[in-house]
Amino acid sequence: MSTVLVVGATGGIGRLVVREAASQGFSVRALARNPRKAAEVLPPGVDVVEGDLTRPETLGPAVDGVDAVIFTHGANGGEEAQTVDYDGVRNVLQALRGRRVRVVLMTAIGLTNRTAFGTLVDWKRRSERLLRASGLPYTIVRPGWFDYNEPGQDREIALQGDRRRTGTPADGGIARTQIAEVLVKALTSGEALGKTLELIAGDGEPVSDFDAFFAPLEADPSGTLDGVQDDPNMPLDEEPGSVQADLAAMGAR
């Protein structure tokens, strides 16, 4: 049985990912700052491991022996945009110490719209770049607005290029349960490897064949930092020096 670490396991999406992964036969490990409180909201049988995304020295036990990682964490704004959304991903990837595990990272639709959102989503985008630079097998999912899908919009739809950038629910809604299912299905689908997608819902029945769902999508070009078709509006030479250093170190692992 494969072991998957869920980062952000006690959040609104994370709890559903934990349940979905367990239902699909994974052995589930949950990263939590307070294991006692986490155990109260997570299903029985989940291995709750104490650790803090912002404290790299605490992450070793959480990643020890895992086969996959699903990131569902998210910042509450302000300084956490860097310390949680970006540093958290970097710290976990570094804690893996070069072990080749499958990674699924959840970010957000519209994160390439620097005019509307500025530095808050820049840090999510930088976390994507770190993962691509790591050389690990990955899938990056950018969901639309949580639970803003209308009744009857049960069909998962994958987009690419991050063209929906209004910063409002007009960009598309998707149920939390659908997000959780797609994140977990991405772990076992070879068709999801190396791909970045935006995820929304539309009219129709839910997807039943996820290999067929992922297959038409373009993979990110080898050696790229951004998602396929993304707007190239974040030049690497204009990035903070610390970010450039992180990318160089990650690529050298």
Side-chain angles (χ1 to χ4, degrees):
M1 180 185 295
S2 295
T3 299
V4 56
L5 171 68
V6 181
V7 178
T10 60
I13 303 294
R15 295 185 197 185
L16 296 171
V17 166
V18 167
R19 294 180 184 277
E20 181 69 26
S23 74
Q24 293 189 31
F26 286 95
S27 175
V28 183
R29 184 178 297 171
L31 178 68
R33 285 178 294 180
N34 188 322
R36 181 183 60 80
K37 287 186 177 180
E40 292 174 357
V41 299
L42 295 175
V46 174
D47 179 21
V48 181
V49 178
E50 184 172 3
D52 187 330
L53 278 179
T54 66
R55 296 172 56 210
E57 70 277 8
T58 70
L59 297 175
V63 302
D64 184 36
V66 300
D67 304 291
V69 179
I70 301 180
F71 289 96
T72 67
H73 66 299
N76 293 317
E79 291 184 1
E80 284 191 359
Q82 177 178 353
T83 60
V84 175
D85 285 345
Y86 174 79
D87 290 352
V89 172
R90 181 199 62 202
N91 293 342
V92 171
L93 295 180
Q94 289 179 340
L96 289 168
R97 297 185 180 276
R99 286 198 302 111
R100 192 167 178 80
V101 305
R102 185 79 171 259
V103 181
V104 177
L105 171 63
M106 182 187 80
T107 56
I109 199 169
L111 88 173
T112 62
N113 187 353
R114 305 189 75 194
T115 302
F117 299 115
T119 59
L120 292 180
V121 292
D122 279 353
W123 290 109
K124 286 186 182 292
R125 190 172 178 183
R126 289 170 181 139
S127 74
E128 291 188 355
R129 286 179 158 187
L130 277 179
L131 179 54
R132 295 189 189 99
S134 73
L136 294 173
Y138 71 86
T139 306
I140 295 171
V141 180
R142 301 164 170 173
W145 288 63
F146 301 167
D147 293 332
Y148 270 79
N149 46 320
E150 300 292 334
Q153 291 184 328
D154 299 320
R155 181 170 61 94
E156 296 88 351
I157 297 173
L159 306 171
Q160 292 186 293
D162 201 30
R163 301 290 183 257
R164 298 192 175 200
R165 306 162 85 187
T166 69
T168 73
D171 291 334
I174 181 78
R176 285 177 168 87
T177 53
Q178 292 174 296
I179 297 169
E181 184 176 21
V182 171
L183 293 174
V184 178
K185 290 293 187 183
L187 285 181
T188 55
S189 175
E191 298 291 351
L193 276 172
K195 295 180 178 180
T196 300
L197 63 126
E198 294 81 58
L199 179 66
I200 62 170
D203 294 334
E205 297 297 315
V207 169
S208 58
D209 183 342
F210 278 92
D211 282 339
F213 173 78
F214 292 118
L217 300 175
E218 292 183 63
D220 298 334
S222 178
T224 189
L225 289 178
D226 289 316
V228 65
Q229 302 180 31
D230 279 359
D231 187 354
N233 60 353
M234 187 186 248
L236 179 59
D237 60 5
E238 296 179 9
E239 283 289 87
S242 60
V243 172
Q244 295 186 46
D246 286 341
L247 287 168
M250 195 64 64
R253 298 179 74 83

PDB file of all heavy atoms in Angstrom, residues 102 138-139 160 185-197 209-219:
ATOM      1  N   ARG A 102       5.981  11.057  -5.809  1.00  0.00           N
ATOM      2  CA  ARG A 102       4.981  11.713  -6.655  1.00  0.00           C
ATOM      3  C   ARG A 102       4.381  12.878  -5.874  1.00  0.00           C
ATOM      4  O   ARG A 102       4.030  12.733  -4.696  1.00  0.00           O
ATOM      5  CB  ARG A 102       3.889  10.697  -7.028  1.00  0.00           C
ATOM      6  CG  ARG A 102       2.835  11.176  -8.012  1.00  0.00           C
ATOM      7  CD  ARG A 102       3.338  11.140  -9.424  1.00  0.00           C
ATOM      8  NE  ARG A 102       2.258  11.394 -10.379  1.00  0.00           N
ATOM      9  CZ  ARG A 102       1.626  10.469 -11.082  1.00  0.00           C
ATOM     10  NH1 ARG A 102       1.937   9.183 -10.911  1.00  0.00           N
ATOM     11  NH2 ARG A 102       0.689  10.794 -11.950  1.00  0.00           N
ATOM     12  N   TYR A 138       5.193  15.239 -11.038  1.00  0.00           N
ATOM     13  CA  TYR A 138       4.223  16.133 -10.405  1.00  0.00           C
ATOM     14  C   TYR A 138       2.973  16.332 -11.261  1.00  0.00           C
ATOM     15  O   TYR A 138       2.965  16.093 -12.466  1.00  0.00           O
ATOM     16  CB  TYR A 138       4.857  17.504 -10.140  1.00  0.00           C
ATOM     17  CG  TYR A 138       5.100  18.306 -11.408  1.00  0.00           C
ATOM     18  CD1 TYR A 138       4.090  19.103 -11.960  1.00  0.00           C
ATOM     19  CD2 TYR A 138       6.325  18.266 -12.083  1.00  0.00           C
ATOM     20  CE1 TYR A 138       4.300  19.829 -13.130  1.00  0.00           C
ATOM     21  CE2 TYR A 138       6.540  18.986 -13.248  1.00  0.00           C
ATOM     22  CZ  TYR A 138       5.521  19.760 -13.767  1.00  0.00           C
ATOM     23  OH  TYR A 138       5.711  20.462 -14.933  1.00  0.00           O
ATOM     24  N   THR A 139       1.947  16.831 -10.586  1.00  0.00           N
ATOM     25  CA  THR A 139       0.781  17.415 -11.232  1.00  0.00           C
ATOM     26  C   THR A 139       0.418  18.658 -10.427  1.00  0.00           C
ATOM     27  O   THR A 139       0.442  18.625  -9.188  1.00  0.00           O
ATOM     28  CB  THR A 139      -0.423  16.457 -11.227  1.00  0.00           C
ATOM     29  OG1 THR A 139      -0.031  15.206 -11.800  1.00  0.00           O
ATOM     30  CG2 THR A 139      -1.591  17.045 -12.021  1.00  0.00           C
ATOM     31  N   GLN A 160      -6.203  25.037 -19.546  1.00  0.00           N
ATOM     32  CA  GLN A 160      -4.785  25.373 -19.439  1.00  0.00           C
ATOM     33  C   GLN A 160      -4.532  26.775 -19.961  1.00  0.00           C
ATOM     34  O   GLN A 160      -5.315  27.310 -20.739  1.00  0.00           O
ATOM     35  CB  GLN A 160      -3.934  24.349 -20.208  1.00  0.00           C
ATOM     36  CG  GLN A 160      -3.943  22.970 -19.569  1.00  0.00           C
ATOM     37  CD  GLN A 160      -2.997  22.002 -20.247  1.00  0.00           C
ATOM     38  OE1 GLN A 160      -3.195  21.619 -21.390  1.00  0.00           O
ATOM     39  NE2 GLN A 160      -1.962  21.590 -19.524  1.00  0.00           N
ATOM     40  N   LYS A 185      -6.797  11.350  -7.666  1.00  0.00           N
ATOM     41  CA  LYS A 185      -6.708  10.604  -8.928  1.00  0.00           C
ATOM     42  C   LYS A 185      -5.427  10.938  -9.691  1.00  0.00           C
ATOM     43  O   LYS A 185      -4.870  10.091 -10.398  1.00  0.00           O
ATOM     44  CB  LYS A 185      -7.917  10.903  -9.799  1.00  0.00           C
ATOM     45  CG  LYS A 185      -9.240  10.337  -9.291  1.00  0.00           C
ATOM     46  CD  LYS A 185      -9.271   8.825  -9.330  1.00  0.00           C
ATOM     47  CE  LYS A 185     -10.659   8.292  -8.987  1.00  0.00           C
ATOM     48  NZ  LYS A 185     -10.682   6.806  -8.957  1.00  0.00           N
ATOM     49  N   ALA A 186      -4.950  12.160  -9.548  1.00  0.00           N
ATOM     50  CA  ALA A 186      -3.722  12.566 -10.242  1.00  0.00           C
ATOM     51  C   ALA A 186      -2.515  11.754  -9.779  1.00  0.00           C
ATOM     52  O   ALA A 186      -1.543  11.610 -10.527  1.00  0.00           O
ATOM     53  CB  ALA A 186      -3.458  14.052 -10.032  1.00  0.00           C
ATOM     54  N   LEU A 187      -2.573  11.223  -8.559  1.00  0.00           N
ATOM     55  CA  LEU A 187      -1.454  10.442  -8.044  1.00  0.00           C
ATOM     56  C   LEU A 187      -1.233   9.156  -8.815  1.00  0.00           C
ATOM     57  O   LEU A 187      -0.111   8.661  -8.918  1.00  0.00           O
ATOM     58  CB  LEU A 187      -1.678  10.089  -6.568  1.00  0.00           C
ATOM     59  CG  LEU A 187      -1.498  11.170  -5.522  1.00  0.00           C
ATOM     60  CD1 LEU A 187      -1.744  10.587  -4.146  1.00  0.00           C
ATOM     61  CD2 LEU A 187      -0.110  11.791  -5.594  1.00  0.00           C
ATOM     62  N   THR A 188      -2.300   8.585  -9.335  1.00  0.00           N
ATOM     63  CA  THR A 188      -2.202   7.259  -9.932  1.00  0.00           C
ATOM     64  C   THR A 188      -2.390   7.259 -11.444  1.00  0.00           C
ATOM     65  O   THR A 188      -2.330   6.200 -12.065  1.00  0.00           O
ATOM     66  CB  THR A 188      -3.250   6.319  -9.305  1.00  0.00           C
ATOM     67  OG1 THR A 188      -4.552   6.893  -9.438  1.00  0.00           O
ATOM     68  CG2 THR A 188      -2.958   6.095  -7.827  1.00  0.00           C
ATOM     69  N   SER A 189      -2.593   8.409 -12.036  1.00  0.00           N
ATOM     70  CA  SER A 189      -2.772   8.482 -13.487  1.00  0.00           C
ATOM     71  C   SER A 189      -1.469   8.892 -14.161  1.00  0.00           C
ATOM     72  O   SER A 189      -0.957   9.996 -13.932  1.00  0.00           O
ATOM     73  CB  SER A 189      -3.874   9.483 -13.850  1.00  0.00           C
ATOM     74  OG  SER A 189      -3.950   9.637 -15.252  1.00  0.00           O
ATOM     75  N   GLY A 190      -0.972   8.020 -15.010  1.00  0.00           N
ATOM     76  CA  GLY A 190       0.215   8.384 -15.783  1.00  0.00           C
ATOM     77  C   GLY A 190      -0.049   9.540 -16.723  1.00  0.00           C
ATOM     78  O   GLY A 190       0.872  10.282 -17.078  1.00  0.00           O
ATOM     79  N   GLU A 191      -1.305   9.737 -17.095  1.00  0.00           N
ATOM     80  CA  GLU A 191      -1.662  10.818 -18.010  1.00  0.00           C
ATOM     81  C   GLU A 191      -1.596  12.184 -17.347  1.00  0.00           C
ATOM     82  O   GLU A 191      -1.643  13.210 -18.023  1.00  0.00           O
ATOM     83  CB  GLU A 191      -3.071  10.590 -18.571  1.00  0.00           C
ATOM     84  CG  GLU A 191      -3.228   9.322 -19.389  1.00  0.00           C
ATOM     85  CD  GLU A 191      -2.480   9.379 -20.708  1.00  0.00           C
ATOM     86  OE1 GLU A 191      -1.982  10.463 -21.061  1.00  0.00           O
ATOM     87  OE2 GLU A 191      -2.397   8.330 -21.382  1.00  0.00           O
ATOM     88  N   ALA A 192      -1.492  12.216 -16.012  1.00  0.00           N
ATOM     89  CA  ALA A 192      -1.435  13.491 -15.286  1.00  0.00           C
ATOM     90  C   ALA A 192      -0.014  13.980 -15.065  1.00  0.00           C
ATOM     91  O   ALA A 192       0.192  15.126 -14.658  1.00  0.00           O
ATOM     92  CB  ALA A 192      -2.132  13.354 -13.933  1.00  0.00           C
ATOM     93  N   LEU A 193       0.959  13.162 -15.371  1.00  0.00           N
ATOM     94  CA  LEU A 193       2.347  13.491 -15.062  1.00  0.00           C
ATOM     95  C   LEU A 193       2.838  14.733 -15.800  1.00  0.00           C
ATOM     96  O   LEU A 193       2.638  14.870 -17.017  1.00  0.00           O
ATOM     97  CB  LEU A 193       3.249  12.315 -15.424  1.00  0.00           C
ATOM     98  CG  LEU A 193       3.373  11.215 -14.375  1.00  0.00           C
ATOM     99  CD1 LEU A 193       4.126  10.031 -14.962  1.00  0.00           C
ATOM    100  CD2 LEU A 193       4.062  11.724 -13.123  1.00  0.00           C
ATOM    101  N   GLY A 194       3.468  15.623 -15.052  1.00  0.00           N
ATOM    102  CA  GLY A 194       4.104  16.796 -15.641  1.00  0.00           C
ATOM    103  C   GLY A 194       3.135  17.817 -16.195  1.00  0.00           C
ATOM    104  O   GLY A 194       3.523  18.647 -17.020  1.00  0.00           O
ATOM    105  N   LYS A 195       1.900  17.795 -15.720  1.00  0.00           N
ATOM    106  CA  LYS A 195       0.883  18.685 -16.278  1.00  0.00           C
ATOM    107  C   LYS A 195       0.375  19.689 -15.248  1.00  0.00           C
ATOM    108  O   LYS A 195       0.314  19.410 -14.052  1.00  0.00           O
ATOM    109  CB  LYS A 195      -0.278  17.863 -16.842  1.00  0.00           C
ATOM    110  CG  LYS A 195       0.145  17.002 -18.028  1.00  0.00           C
ATOM    111  CD  LYS A 195      -0.979  16.183 -18.611  1.00  0.00           C
ATOM    112  CE  LYS A 195      -0.482  15.390 -19.830  1.00  0.00           C
ATOM    113  NZ  LYS A 195      -1.549  14.559 -20.446  1.00  0.00           N
ATOM    114  N   THR A 196       0.035  20.864 -15.746  1.00  0.00           N
ATOM    115  CA  THR A 196      -0.545  21.943 -14.947  1.00  0.00           C
ATOM    116  C   THR A 196      -1.905  22.272 -15.536  1.00  0.00           C
ATOM    117  O   THR A 196      -2.025  22.464 -16.747  1.00  0.00           O
ATOM    118  CB  THR A 196       0.348  23.198 -14.991  1.00  0.00           C
ATOM    119  OG1 THR A 196       1.642  22.878 -14.458  1.00  0.00           O
ATOM    120  CG2 THR A 196      -0.265  24.338 -14.189  1.00  0.00           C
ATOM    121  N   LEU A 197      -2.924  22.347 -14.685  1.00  0.00           N
ATOM    122  CA  LEU A 197      -4.271  22.591 -15.193  1.00  0.00           C
ATOM    123  C   LEU A 197      -5.084  23.438 -14.247  1.00  0.00           C
ATOM    124  O   LEU A 197      -4.847  23.460 -13.040  1.00  0.00           O
ATOM    125  CB  LEU A 197      -4.995  21.263 -15.412  1.00  0.00           C
ATOM    126  CG  LEU A 197      -5.228  20.416 -14.151  1.00  0.00           C
ATOM    127  CD1 LEU A 197      -6.713  20.051 -14.012  1.00  0.00           C
ATOM    128  CD2 LEU A 197      -4.386  19.132 -14.213  1.00  0.00           C
ATOM    129  N   ASP A 209     -13.647   8.389 -15.951  1.00  0.00           N
ATOM    130  CA  ASP A 209     -12.366   7.893 -16.446  1.00  0.00           C
ATOM    131  C   ASP A 209     -11.351   9.033 -16.368  1.00  0.00           C
ATOM    132  O   ASP A 209     -11.315   9.910 -17.229  1.00  0.00           O
ATOM    133  CB  ASP A 209     -12.524   7.411 -17.888  1.00  0.00           C
ATOM    134  CG  ASP A 209     -11.247   6.806 -18.457  1.00  0.00           C
ATOM    135  OD1 ASP A 209     -10.165   7.060 -17.901  1.00  0.00           O
ATOM    136  OD2 ASP A 209     -11.332   6.096 -19.479  1.00  0.00           O
ATOM    137  N   PHE A 210     -10.526   9.015 -15.325  1.00  0.00           N
ATOM    138  CA  PHE A 210      -9.614  10.140 -15.127  1.00  0.00           C
ATOM    139  C   PHE A 210      -8.380  10.062 -16.014  1.00  0.00           C
ATOM    140  O   PHE A 210      -7.755  11.092 -16.278  1.00  0.00           O
ATOM    141  CB  PHE A 210      -9.251  10.278 -13.651  1.00  0.00           C
ATOM    142  CG  PHE A 210     -10.305  11.025 -12.879  1.00  0.00           C
ATOM    143  CD1 PHE A 210     -11.337  10.339 -12.258  1.00  0.00           C
ATOM    144  CD2 PHE A 210     -10.296  12.401 -12.824  1.00  0.00           C
ATOM    145  CE1 PHE A 210     -12.330  11.019 -11.574  1.00  0.00           C
ATOM    146  CE2 PHE A 210     -11.290  13.099 -12.139  1.00  0.00           C
ATOM    147  CZ  PHE A 210     -12.312  12.404 -11.515  1.00  0.00           C
ATOM    148  N   ASP A 211      -8.010   8.891 -16.486  1.00  0.00           N
ATOM    149  CA  ASP A 211      -6.951   8.850 -17.484  1.00  0.00           C
ATOM    150  C   ASP A 211      -7.398   9.607 -18.731  1.00  0.00           C
ATOM    151  O   ASP A 211      -6.625  10.383 -19.312  1.00  0.00           O
ATOM    152  CB  ASP A 211      -6.610   7.405 -17.852  1.00  0.00           C
ATOM    153  CG  ASP A 211      -5.747   6.722 -16.803  1.00  0.00           C
ATOM    154  OD1 ASP A 211      -5.089   7.439 -16.021  1.00  0.00           O
ATOM    155  OD2 ASP A 211      -5.728   5.481 -16.766  1.00  0.00           O
ATOM    156  N   ALA A 212      -8.634   9.400 -19.138  1.00  0.00           N
ATOM    157  CA  ALA A 212      -9.167  10.112 -20.298  1.00  0.00           C
ATOM    158  C   ALA A 212      -9.323  11.601 -20.007  1.00  0.00           C
ATOM    159  O   ALA A 212      -9.214  12.432 -20.921  1.00  0.00           O
ATOM    160  CB  ALA A 212     -10.515   9.511 -20.710  1.00  0.00           C
ATOM    161  N   PHE A 213      -9.559  11.958 -18.768  1.00  0.00           N
ATOM    162  CA  PHE A 213      -9.681  13.359 -18.363  1.00  0.00           C
ATOM    163  C   PHE A 213      -8.343  14.086 -18.508  1.00  0.00           C
ATOM    164  O   PHE A 213      -8.272  15.192 -19.054  1.00  0.00           O
ATOM    165  CB  PHE A 213     -10.171  13.411 -16.917  1.00  0.00           C
ATOM    166  CG  PHE A 213     -10.199  14.780 -16.299  1.00  0.00           C
ATOM    167  CD1 PHE A 213     -11.219  15.682 -16.599  1.00  0.00           C
ATOM    168  CD2 PHE A 213      -9.221  15.177 -15.394  1.00  0.00           C
ATOM    169  CE1 PHE A 213     -11.254  16.943 -16.019  1.00  0.00           C
ATOM    170  CE2 PHE A 213      -9.253  16.429 -14.804  1.00  0.00           C
ATOM    171  CZ  PHE A 213     -10.274  17.315 -15.122  1.00  0.00           C
ATOM    172  N   PHE A 214      -7.271  13.455 -18.036  1.00  0.00           N
ATOM    173  CA  PHE A 214      -5.952  14.091 -18.072  1.00  0.00           C
ATOM    174  C   PHE A 214      -5.269  13.989 -19.434  1.00  0.00           C
ATOM    175  O   PHE A 214      -4.434  14.835 -19.773  1.00  0.00           O
ATOM    176  CB  PHE A 214      -5.035  13.464 -17.017  1.00  0.00           C
ATOM    177  CG  PHE A 214      -5.411  13.751 -15.592  1.00  0.00           C
ATOM    178  CD1 PHE A 214      -5.758  12.718 -14.730  1.00  0.00           C
ATOM    179  CD2 PHE A 214      -5.407  15.042 -15.096  1.00  0.00           C
ATOM    180  CE1 PHE A 214      -6.091  12.965 -13.399  1.00  0.00           C
ATOM    181  CE2 PHE A 214      -5.738  15.312 -13.771  1.00  0.00           C
ATOM    182  CZ  PHE A 214      -6.084  14.267 -12.921  1.00  0.00           C
ATOM    183  N   ALA A 215      -5.599  12.965 -20.199  1.00  0.00           N
ATOM    184  CA  ALA A 215      -4.837  12.658 -21.416  1.00  0.00           C
ATOM    185  C   ALA A 215      -4.744  13.791 -22.425  1.00  0.00           C
ATOM    186  O   ALA A 215      -3.672  14.016 -23.004  1.00  0.00           O
ATOM    187  CB  ALA A 215      -5.406  11.402 -22.084  1.00  0.00           C
ATOM    188  N   PRO A 216      -5.818  14.553 -22.707  1.00  0.00           N
ATOM    189  CA  PRO A 216      -5.718  15.592 -23.742  1.00  0.00           C
ATOM    190  C   PRO A 216      -4.866  16.801 -23.348  1.00  0.00           C
ATOM    191  O   PRO A 216      -4.544  17.628 -24.213  1.00  0.00           O
ATOM    192  CB  PRO A 216      -7.181  16.027 -23.951  1.00  0.00           C
ATOM    193  CG  PRO A 216      -8.020  14.959 -23.339  1.00  0.00           C
ATOM    194  CD  PRO A 216      -7.196  14.416 -22.221  1.00  0.00           C
ATOM    195  N   LEU A 217      -4.525  16.916 -22.097  1.00  0.00           N
ATOM    196  CA  LEU A 217      -3.797  18.090 -21.632  1.00  0.00           C
ATOM    197  C   LEU A 217      -2.341  18.049 -22.088  1.00  0.00           C
ATOM    198  O   LEU A 217      -1.723  16.992 -22.167  1.00  0.00           O
ATOM    199  CB  LEU A 217      -3.842  18.173 -20.105  1.00  0.00           C
ATOM    200  CG  LEU A 217      -5.240  18.269 -19.482  1.00  0.00           C
ATOM    201  CD1 LEU A 217      -5.129  18.214 -17.962  1.00  0.00           C
ATOM    202  CD2 LEU A 217      -5.957  19.533 -19.921  1.00  0.00           C
ATOM    203  N   GLU A 218      -1.795  19.233 -22.363  1.00  0.00           N
ATOM    204  CA  GLU A 218      -0.383  19.333 -22.713  1.00  0.00           C
ATOM    205  C   GLU A 218       0.479  19.282 -21.452  1.00  0.00           C
ATOM    206  O   GLU A 218       0.145  19.905 -20.438  1.00  0.00           O
ATOM    207  CB  GLU A 218      -0.097  20.648 -23.432  1.00  0.00           C
ATOM    208  CG  GLU A 218      -0.693  20.798 -24.804  1.00  0.00           C
ATOM    209  CD  GLU A 218      -0.272  22.114 -25.424  1.00  0.00           C
ATOM    210  OE1 GLU A 218       0.939  22.305 -25.657  1.00  0.00           O
ATOM    211  OE2 GLU A 218      -1.155  22.970 -25.640  1.00  0.00           O
ATOM    212  N   ALA A 219       1.587  18.575 -21.548  1.00  0.00           N
ATOM    213  CA  ALA A 219       2.552  18.578 -20.451  1.00  0.00           C
ATOM    214  C   ALA A 219       3.358  19.866 -20.483  1.00  0.00           C
ATOM    215  O   ALA A 219       3.543  20.485 -21.540  1.00  0.00           O
ATOM    216  CB  ALA A 219       3.480  17.374 -20.559  1.00  0.00           C
TER     217      ALA A 219
END
